[in-house]
Amino acid sequence: MITEKNAKIVTALPGPKSKELAERKDKCVPPGIGIAFDIYAAEAKDALIKDVDGNVFIDVAAAIGVQNAGHCDEEVVAAIKEQAEKLIHPCFQVVPYEAYIDLAEKLIEITPGSYEKTVYFANSGAEAVENAVKVARRFTGKQGIISLEAAFHGRTYMAMGLTSKVKPYKYGMGPFPGELYKIPSPYCYRCPMGGTYPGCGLACVERLAYLLKSEYCEDNIAAVIAEPVQGEGGFIIPPKDYLKTLHTICKEHNILLIADEVQTGFCRTGKMFACEGFEVEPDIMTLSKSIAAGMPISAVVGRKEVMAGPQKGEIGGTYGGNPLACVASLRTIKKMQELKLDERAAKLGNMILTKVNAMKDKYSVIGDVRGIGAMAAVEFVKDRETKEPNKEIISKITKYAYHKGVLIISAGLLGNIIRFLPPLVMTEDQMNYVLEVFEEAVANA
Ligand SMILES: Cc1ncc(COP(=O)(O)O)c(C=O)c1O
């Protein structure tokens, strides 16, 4: 059990037991599985992770956005245990069960869109993306899918095709599926169209309208898929009216909008779903990560008529909507609502932005600070004028923080961004410590 309330480092890092595990890992796990920190987790609770040597770390990565509701909530654990005693997996497509329906109903209730919706489950974010594309193509009878530059949608072939950042995600692994197209990202700090908002008139999204005439035809575009806030791409927060304008253009051309809320969903941005903040009701949503506090499950939620495109047996999979994951998800969502984790996200985000904005005057390497809810990023540059990315500083910062017991990770196409993605149950004391260490790390770098 973790009794500590804050970070506590008790050995040299990594400790002896972690070192031993690393040696074993190197012999049995291929090098392509990249690992951020060389400590091995023994247990975790809320925003803390204890390693096998007894060191306690504050987790600012939340398993890359999986632990919004915190690690190992007692009731989530109890729900999984209770379910495991009764029914582990009969496969919904063979013998269905109630937990699947309970969760589908819950997601219909809490996702944006007052229209009739249906839901089905898969196992990972990438799998949800694959399924959303299948549904969109099957319903519309069209093939083309448009994604955004700087997007990340996962590591399966369709998801890779929709993703940017060739190295490391796609390098040497092509060819990718056909009929995939890209439009510019609403990356205002480094506008791909060379504009400045709002004077730009959202040229990045207007590009879609232009390309629909010049490069591809609406008759062959089934859907646009977009993360409401781009995650891996560098926490790229679009202008307030971006998503709505994108959706309007989609509707004008009979194209579906798929919102990939795998990383932005479940209170992360200060709303249950980021689309709510942008006042958009997408046709299809993909959900995963914080949906079930670490149990592997994802969901495709969409308009009833769109979701009815695929016929019997055309979608599904052996494990989708496993009962243990369904009950874990129901309890996780209940906790988010009871503890108002959406409001908590806004509070934590505010603490981060206040601190880092105040640091801007002191440290010229800080190029941009941006955040929405508790999804905040600091973009480092060598020169504020040229905005030359400062990639080198990132590993110095993360390494310093690690040695102080703070696990914080990078993001961004250019590898020059530190992202804050804390569990939303992180205490104020813990967040104050994280921010103190972050400033020391920047000063030190
Ligand atoms: C927006 C988004 N979509 C899809 C994925 C892929 O999820 P998974 O790794 O569970 O396949 C991710 C993962 O980071 C993501 O951030």
Side-chain angles (χ1 to χ4, degrees):
M1 209 168 88
I2 302 183
T3 49
E4 290 82 355
K5 297 271 176 272
N6 216 318
K8 190 171 171 196
I9 300 303
V10 295
T11 69
L13 292 179
K17 289 185 185 159
S18 281
K19 272 192 183 157
E20 208 180 303
L21 285 170
E23 275 170 31
R24 283 171 57 198
K25 189 263 310 176
D26 286 344
K27 289 185 190 139
C28 63
V29 180
I33 300 291
I35 292 178
F37 301 103
D38 51 8
I39 43 140
Y40 282 72
E43 52 183 314
K45 181 78 187 131
D46 298 336
L48 296 176
I49 296 180
K50 191 177 244 183
D51 78 0
V52 286
D53 293 290
N55 298 298
V56 179
F57 297 85
I58 302 183
D59 180 11
V60 195
I64 321 183
V66 170
Q67 299 294 357
N68 289 3
H71 292 271
C72 292
D73 171 80
E74 289 92 1
E75 287 188 37
V76 172
V77 174
I80 296 169
K81 280 186 182 164
E82 195 187 318
Q83 183 61 49
E85 301 269 352
K86 289 192 297 206
L87 180 72
I88 292 181
H89 194 67
C91 181
F92 193 74
Q93 290 145 249
V94 180
V95 183
Y97 43 87
E98 193 171 359
Y100 191 111
I101 298 165
D102 289 342
L103 183 57
E105 287 172 348
K106 186 48 129 181
L107 292 178
I108 287 169
E109 177 198 319
I110 64 171
T111 47
S114 45
Y115 41 80
E116 282 193 281
K117 287 173 268 181
T118 56
V119 180
Y120 71 100
F121 299 109
N123 304 288
S124 67
E127 217 189 315
V129 167
E130 299 278 337
N131 275 280
V133 169
K134 280 171 71 171
V135 169
R137 283 182 166 170
R138 188 70 175 88
F139 172 72
T140 60
K142 305 192 271 186
Q143 285 86 47
I145 306 289
I146 295 172
S147 62
L148 272 53
E149 288 171 355
F152 183 84
H153 295 291
R155 294 171 182 269
T156 53
Y157 267 91
M158 173 57 72
M160 275 196 287
L162 299 168
T163 288
S164 289
K165 195 163 180 176
V166 174
K167 281 188 181 178
Y169 300 131
K170 304 163 74 162
Y171 191 64
M173 291 185 183
F176 303 103
E179 293 298 328
L180 304 184
Y181 306 98
K182 293 251 167 32
I183 53 172
S185 154
Y187 192 178
C188 294
Y189 181 63
R190 297 179 188 277
C191 177
M193 310 298 288
T196 308
Y197 182 79
C200 62
L202 285 179
C204 54
V205 70
E206 291 303 333
R207 183 91 184 134
L208 171 60
Y210 171 79
L211 291 171
L212 281 168
K213 293 194 180 74
S214 67
E215 294 298 322
Y216 31 77
C217 174
E218 66 187 39
D219 293 348
N220 192 37
I221 301 296
V224 172
I225 181 166
E227 300 156 81
V229 177
Q230 293 188 297
E232 297 297 307
F235 287 17
I236 297 169
I237 305 163
K240 182 88 184 143
D241 50 345
Y242 171 83
L243 208 59
K244 219 175 200 177
T245 312
L246 179 65
H247 198 194
T248 304
I249 296 175
C250 285
K251 284 191 263 191
E252 281 166 9
H253 295 273
N254 207 16
I255 293 169
L256 300 174
L257 177 66
I258 304 170
D260 182 351
E261 290 240 24
V262 166
Q263 192 160 156
T264 51
F266 298 101
C267 300
R268 173 55 56 190
T269 64
K271 301 273 180 196
M272 184 56 88
F273 297 100
C275 279
E276 293 167 51
F278 294 110
E279 295 167 12
V280 163
E281 297 182 345
D283 302 292
I284 303 176
M285 288 175 81
T286 51
L287 312 175
S288 192
K289 291 200 187 263
S290 275
I291 187 171
M295 292 298 282
I297 180 169
S298 59
V300 183
V301 183
R303 284 181 183 277
K304 190 174 183 179
E305 68 275 18
V306 173
M307 298 288 277
Q311 300 301 296
K312 190 173 175 179
E314 292 177 357
I315 50 175
T318 307
Y319 287 113
N322 164 277
L324 303 184
C326 287
V327 297
S329 176
L330 284 160
R331 167 56 209 165
T332 304
I333 294 167
K334 188 164 162 256
K335 184 176 180 187
M336 286 171 178
Q337 292 177 321
E338 280 170 1
L339 298 185
K340 296 195 169 62
L341 290 187
D342 48 356
E343 291 173 16
R344 183 94 196 115
K347 189 161 185 192
L348 288 173
N350 203 21
M351 285 176 76
I352 300 168
L353 292 190
T354 306
K355 170 74 177 183
V356 184
N357 274 319
M359 284 170 60
K360 246 183 132 177
D361 290 341
K362 226 158 136 192
Y363 306 100
S364 60
V365 283
I366 296 180
D368 193 33
V369 179
R370 49 185 183 259
I372 176 167
M375 190 170 184
V378 186
E379 179 150 358
F380 287 89
V381 292
K382 291 186 176 155
D383 179 313
R384 277 196 186 145
E385 280 302 304
T386 63
K387 298 186 182 174
E388 186 187 343
N390 191 340
K391 195 176 167 185
E392 299 74 23
I393 202 171
I394 299 297
S395 57
K396 288 184 194 160
I397 293 171
T398 54
K399 203 167 167 192
Y400 182 95
Y402 159 70
H403 282 277
K404 293 280 180 179
V406 172
L407 303 177
I408 192 161
I409 58 173
S410 63
L413 273 185
L414 307 168
N416 64 326
I417 291 169
I418 291 285
R419 60 170 134 177
F420 288 83
L421 205 58
L424 306 176
V425 291
M426 185 174 284
T427 65
E428 280 173 39
D429 273 358
Q430 289 165 349
M431 182 52 86
N432 280 327
Y433 179 72
V434 165
L435 293 170
E436 222 173 84
V437 167
F438 178 69
E439 174 152 20
E440 278 173 29
V442 174
N444 184 66

